[in-house]
Structure formats: structure tokens, C-alpha cells
Amino acid sequence: MGIQSEKVKELIKLREQARLGGGQKRIDSQHQKGKYTARERIAMLLDEGSFEELDMFVTHRCTNFGMEKSVFLGDGIVTGYGTVNGRLVYVYAQDFTVFGGSLSETLAQKICKVMDQAMKVGAPVIGINDSGGARIQEGVNALAGYAEIFQRNILASGVVPQISAIFGPCAGGAVYSPALTDFNIMTKGSSYMFLTGPKVVKTVTGEDVTQEDLGGASVHSTKSGVAHFAVESEEEGIEVVKHLLSFIPQNNLEEAPAIECSDPVDRLEDSLNEIIPDNPNRAYDMYEVIGAIVDDGEFLEIHKNYAANIIVGFARFNGMSVGIVANQPKVLAGVLDINASRKAARFVRFCDAFNIPLVTLVDVPGFLPGTGQEYGGVILHGAKLLYAYGEATVPKVTVTLRKSYGGAYCVMSSKHLRGDMNYAWPSAEIAVMGPAGAIEVLYSKEAATAENPAEFIAAKEKEYKDAFANPFNAAKYGYIDDVIEPRNTRFRIIRSLQQLATKKLTNPAKKHDNLPL
Ligand code: HXC
């Protein structure tokens, strides 16, 4: 055998060694926990045969605590690029079989390399997290590595999409990289995210809490909003990543991919003419409206179980990707509160950053009153949503289905926040507040001295409703561009989006904004 083939043999051997990560025993242990390895995860994500691995021969340089005796090729992470449904993505997957996927200086450099490359070519970055955090033996070098990643997450934000899948531990400051990315997906039962674990919590606060109750997928997808998706399995998590990618462009200079649409653009949905209940205090399900108007009823909901009084997610109209924001009358009457405002604001900003038009469906009785909300800063959080809509320059199509009261009228993509096309159904009611509240403010003194207070109030409420419980007042001023038949909604939205496809609007030049955080 010639020297050349000897060297090739050596290369193949080294590659095999690298592919084993921390060794077969630790791979088996990973499988026993019901988890896949880093390489298996990447294989599930990328198109078959498309993966190009980088830095397979990188090893750590640490000599503290005898670390020089424990060296693994690749050093606890698999990085590279490949395609998802033919589109380029950069990927990294932490390898729990090597020092628990803990982050070393060199491991961080591998992540930074793919992030830098993704920024140069303009392609999404997918990070799969499964790690014990900073590699303890490396001290400040591990912390420096994290900070280098965070810096890149920040610079990439709004330039290339960043998606994090959390398939195992993600603790300590490590949580901040996923937090800086656009979407977080967590597996139920096998992933957790927290700044400080249960032991530290017990020491500091005396609280007894399990890992799952402190930072499991359910907690973060319902209570904190840190996770956008809680999935049953890693397979489902990978499918969510692919589904998300299908709706979004490669970078902020491109449009989302349009797909062939077989759902007729002029499909009339007669059921919508009947969907609003006669009693304005009765609820209906906004999901039915969304399902009826978008292409083939396909809707990828974000933050499904968090702040369910507002619905956000991706859908398509005539094959064009849009972000949908819709009040949900079935939950808290669709009121805006702190969490709903934060949830929708973040989504609106993502769509605007990545050139995805916004379709807003309005049925909102206002902002939630009370000390809980005021003390929690609803003024600032509500302002986030206001800000997000007001700064957005993508096409904005709004349909008011029923209520649109008070500040919430202004916030929900109104004409005054540069809404491009503002439609209303005939059932729309646009006013400063609902009839009961308005009459209480205007006529409480008169009502108290009236011969029959109940009759007096009822008469005044009727007068108020006759004046405001319709869309024509707003249409009179041009704040509503047209009042449409509900069954035509799909067609009218598609027409608007086609019309707005070449929309150009820019905000004043500035260093950056000062969003009310
Ligand atoms: C070095 C680590 C490690 C770490 C795990 N390992 N975490 N090595 N640094 N941070 C190693 C273990 O020694 C073990 O090595 C292997 O990974 C698997 O770990 P196990 O403990 O056997 O696995 P498991 O029982 O599944 O427990 C996983 C775990 C636990 C819950 C993540 O390992 C753990 O608590 N690790 C420490 C977590 C932590 O406190 N990290 C620091 C957070 S602070 P062998 O050789 O046996 O396979 C932080 C600051 C970042 O990250 C700040 C950024 C700004």
C-alpha cells in the first residue's frame, strides 16, 4: 500500500473516531434516556446526503484538572451546513456524549464559525441544544465562549432567522443564546431551561421544585413564554423546524418562498356570514375564521398555549407567506393583556424583520383592567405591541370582525399605524369603549336620579349602540377602507396582498429605536 492510501486510511479512521463522539457507551446511555445523538438529530433535519461537516478534528486545549488526558475529536459539538427541502441552512448540535455537551472555548469557536458563515451567505442558523452548560474545567474561557456566541446571536437577529431546538439540558447563562434567537422548541419531559437549578433555588429561596416544574417544556410554553413550541418528541421538534423554515425567507433581504396554491383564491366561505353570534357578549372561535380563509386551512401556530387570548402564526394566501395576528374571543373575550401584548409584539417584529406581510383579525374589547395588570406594567407591554405595529413597514391588512374598542383599536394595526388596507365586517363595532362602560361614565348621575334607572340605562345604551355599534362611522372618515361581506374575506385579503406586493416604506434613519422594554 502506497503512502497516499495509508494516509487516506488514517483519515477514514479519524473520521470514524470523531463520529463516535464520547464513545459507544455514552451513545447507548443517550439512547437509553430516549434521546438521539447530535449526528442523528442533524440527519433527521437535513435532506439526505446534504450535510457537510466542519471542524471534525477540533479538540479542546484545556490542561486543567488533567483534561489533556481526555480529548475527543470534534469536542462536544457537530457543526456544518446542509439543506432542508433544498434550501441552505447552517446547523450545530451539541453532543452530550462528550463532557455532557458542555461548552468549551473551542466548542464555542465551532458555533461562531457557522454563525459567521451563515451571516456572510445569508442563511438560517439552527442550533440543537443538549448541554451541561459552561465546561467547568475551562473557567472563564467557557464563559468567554458563551459571550462570543451571544454577540453573534445579537448581530444576526433580524438578519438571518435563528431557531433553537432544546432537546436536553440548557442551564445557567447558556439559556441566553436560545432566548436571543427567534424561535425555541422544547421537548416535553426531556428538556429543561433555567438560570439556576432546583438545588440553588432551594438554597436561596427555600422553594422545593423539580427540574420539570422549574423549567420544563410545559412551564416555558404556558407560563413564561420562553418556548414557542412544546413537542412530544425530537422527531416532532425537527418537523416543527422544517415547517417554520417553509414560511420564512433565508434572510432579511429576501422574500419568503411562495408556493403553488391549489385552493381557489375566490373561494367564498358562506359560514363566515353566520359566525358572529347575535349576542355581542357571546364568543365564537377565531380558529374557525383563520381555518376558513387561509390556503387549505394550513396554520402553523406559534405560542399556542401561552396568552391564548391572542393567536399568532404563519399561513399562506394564494401561496404567499403571511403572519396572522388575531384576537381570540373565546379566551378572556379576546382582551389584550401583558402576555398577549408581548407575544404578539415579538411575532409582529419577526415578520417585519423578515418581509412577511401581516394579516390582523380584530375582535378586542380593550385592555384588561386591574391592579395586577397595572402593577405588572401593562402600559409598557401594551406599548410594545403598539410600537411593533407602528414601526412595521411590511404590507399590513386588517379585518375588524366585531369589537374594536379604545386603545386596543389604535394598537391592532389600525389605519393610523400605517395599516395599508383596513376592512371591517358589517358586524364591526368601533368605539372608545363598550356600551355599558360608556353609559356608566357619561350618565351615572342621571341614572341614579332617574325614575326608572334600569330603563334609563337601557335607553342610553341603545342610543350608544345605534351610534357606534357599526363600522360605518369609522368608514365615514376613511379609517376603514371598505366594509366587506364576511364570506368574501379570503378573496379581499388576497387582492390586497397582491396589490401591496411592491410596497415600499422606510422608517427614518436612526442608530436604533428605543422600544419600551
Ligand atoms: C464539564 C460536564 C458538565 C460541565 C456535565 N459534564 N456537565 N463536564 N462541565 N458543565 C459531564 C459529566 O462530568 C459527565 O462526564 C458527562 O458530562 C455527563 O454528565 P452526567 O452528570 O453523568 O449526566 P446526567 O446525569 O444526565 O446529568 C446532566 C446534568 C449534569 C444535569 C446536565 O451533568 C449537571 O448538573 N451538570 C452541571 C450543570 C451546571 O451546573 N452547569 C454549569 C451551569 S452555569 P462523564 O465523563 O462521566 O461522561 C453555566 C454558566 C454559563 O453554564 C454562563 C454563560 C454566560
Side-chain angles (χ1 to χ4, degrees):
M1 198 182 286
I3 181 101
Q4 183 73 359
S5 32
E6 276 297 330
K7 286 190 182 289
V8 170
K9 241 173 104 183
E10 174 68 11
L11 169 68
I12 292 169
K13 212 172 113 213
L14 283 174
R15 283 204 190 285
E16 275 165 11
Q17 191 185 327
R19 284 195 189 102
L20 276 180
Q24 194 57 47
K25 233 174 93 189
R26 292 193 183 92
I27 292 176
D28 294 343
S29 152
Q30 179 84 344
H31 287 155
Q32 272 152 21
K33 288 180 198 157
K35 301 200 301 185
Y36 287 105
T37 63
R39 284 199 161 71
E40 287 163 347
R41 289 164 175 165
I42 289 177
M44 278 195 279
L45 173 68
L46 299 180
D47 298 336
E48 208 181 333
S50 72
F51 183 46
E52 288 286 333
E53 187 169 344
L54 303 174
D55 289 339
M56 208 178 199
F57 307 116
V58 162
T59 53
H60 73 74
R61 296 187 279 258
C62 179
T63 53
N64 302 330
F65 302 100
M67 281 292 277
E68 66 280 3
K69 293 189 216 91
S70 277
V71 174
F72 299 89
L73 291 180
D75 197 27
I77 193 149
V78 183
T79 61
Y81 63 92
T83 58
V84 173
N85 294 320
R87 297 166 71 209
L88 178 67
V89 297
Y90 287 82
V91 63
Y92 64 85
Q94 293 167 336
D95 181 355
F96 194 82
T97 70
V98 178
F99 304 115
S102 59
L103 189 126
S104 66
E105 179 192 10
T106 45
L107 188 153
Q109 284 166 355
K110 284 183 67 172
I111 296 181
C112 291
K113 188 190 267 188
V114 285
M115 293 185 78
D116 290 343
Q117 194 72 3
M119 285 289 276
K120 275 188 265 178
V121 301
V125 181
I126 321 294
I128 302 177
N129 294 255
D130 185 1
S131 163
R135 191 168 301 166
I136 294 161
Q137 298 90 332
E138 294 213 3
V140 71
N141 287 340
L143 301 184
Y146 270 120
E148 294 282 344
I149 296 167
F150 301 158
Q151 178 65 64
R152 283 163 178 79
N153 287 135
I154 293 160
L155 294 181
S157 180
V159 180
V160 295
Q162 304 181 80
I163 301 175
S164 304
I166 322 290
F167 287 169
C170 182
V175 296
Y176 282 117
S177 178
L180 290 166
T181 65
D182 300 305
F183 299 106
N184 286 326
I185 299 151
M186 292 182 75
T187 42
K188 289 186 197 164
S190 56
S191 73
Y192 50 88
M193 294 176 80
F194 37 66
L195 276 170
T196 46
K199 284 191 190 133
V200 179
V201 171
K202 174 80 183 160
T203 317
V204 177
T205 71
E207 249 178 310
D208 265 315
V209 66
T210 61
Q211 274 184 0
E212 188 63 23
D213 285 345
L214 185 62
S218 300
V219 167
H220 285 312
S221 60
T222 59
K223 289 188 190 342
S224 72
V226 167
H228 300 83
F229 298 89
V231 293
E232 298 295 334
S233 64
E234 294 184 20
E235 284 91 341
E236 190 188 336
I238 295 288
E239 281 314 307
V240 168
V241 175
K242 293 184 188 181
H243 203 178
L244 269 172
L245 286 171
S246 76
F247 287 104
I248 61 187
Q250 292 291 90
N251 58 62
N252 65 332
L253 299 178
E254 293 184 16
E255 306 275 317
I259 65 165
E260 198 70 35
C261 172
S262 53
D263 193 353
V265 296
D266 55 358
R267 176 168 55 76
L268 296 180
E269 197 59 53
D270 289 332
S271 64
L272 295 182
N273 276 9
E274 308 294 330
I275 198 164
I276 302 287
D278 291 337
N279 178 346
N281 296 323
R282 287 264 317 278
Y284 59 94
D285 193 348
M286 189 60 90
Y287 287 116
E288 282 182 32
V289 178
I290 297 169
I293 60 177
V294 302
D295 289 358
D296 304 308
E298 185 191 356
F299 180 54
L300 175 60
E301 188 171 4
I302 316 286
H303 267 146
K304 184 176 185 161
N305 298 315
Y306 177 74
N309 38 331
I310 201 155
I311 300 169
V312 302
F314 296 109
R316 293 187 184 86
F317 282 101
N318 194 23
M320 288 176 288
S321 199
V322 300
I324 291 197
V325 181
N327 309 113
Q328 168 59 297
K330 268 188 88 169
V331 179
L332 295 171
V335 78
L336 283 178
D337 59 3
I338 293 171
N339 290 349
S341 302
R342 287 175 50 227
K343 165 177 163 175
R346 183 140 175 87
F347 182 70
V348 166
R349 296 193 97 218
F350 176 84
C351 291
D352 187 50
F354 290 103
N355 313 317
I356 299 170
L358 289 161
V359 172
T360 304
L361 305 174
V362 182
D363 187 347
V364 62
F367 277 96
L368 183 64
T371 51
Q373 290 288 306
E374 296 290 355
Y375 295 174
V378 68
I379 295 173
L380 283 179
H381 296 293
K384 289 187 174 99
L385 182 55
L386 175 62
Y387 201 111
Y389 268 122
E391 74 175 341
T393 55
V394 288
K396 293 186 278 196
V397 180
T398 310
V399 185
T400 301
L401 281 55
R402 189 170 62 171
K403 295 171 194 168
S404 185
Y405 290 156
Y409 158 77
C410 304
V411 169
M412 293 299 295
S413 200
S414 65
K415 187 53 105 192
H416 326 285
L417 297 181
R418 303 188 295 184
D420 294 298
M421 296 305 295
N422 289 69
Y423 294 119
W425 286 5
S427 43
E429 305 169 16
I430 302 171
V432 172
M433 60 175 73
I439 299 313
E440 170 68 22
V441 173
L442 294 178
Y443 294 108
S444 58
K445 279 194 205 117
E446 288 87 336
T449 54
E451 210 168 290
N452 185 335
E455 236 172 55
F456 175 84
I457 289 171
K460 284 293 174 197
E461 281 191 16
K462 185 176 178 313
E463 200 181 314
Y464 185 87
K465 274 190 217 156
D466 289 345
F468 293 122
N470 65 70
F472 297 105
N473 247 322
K476 186 165 79 185
Y477 297 104
Y479 303 155
I480 291 294
D481 296 295
D482 199 6
V483 180
I484 62 174
E485 246 197 272
R487 66 187 193 138
N488 280 337
T489 305
R490 170 177 166 77
F491 176 64
R492 300 299 294 264
I493 291 174
I494 290 174
R495 271 268 177 94
S496 293
L497 292 170
Q498 283 169 339
Q499 177 227 159
L500 294 164
T502 54
K503 177 183 173 185
K504 296 250 178 316
L505 181 66
T506 45
N507 290 327
K510 52 181 105 170
K511 183 173 176 193
H512 60 70
D513 55 39
N514 191 12
L515 176 81
L517 295 172

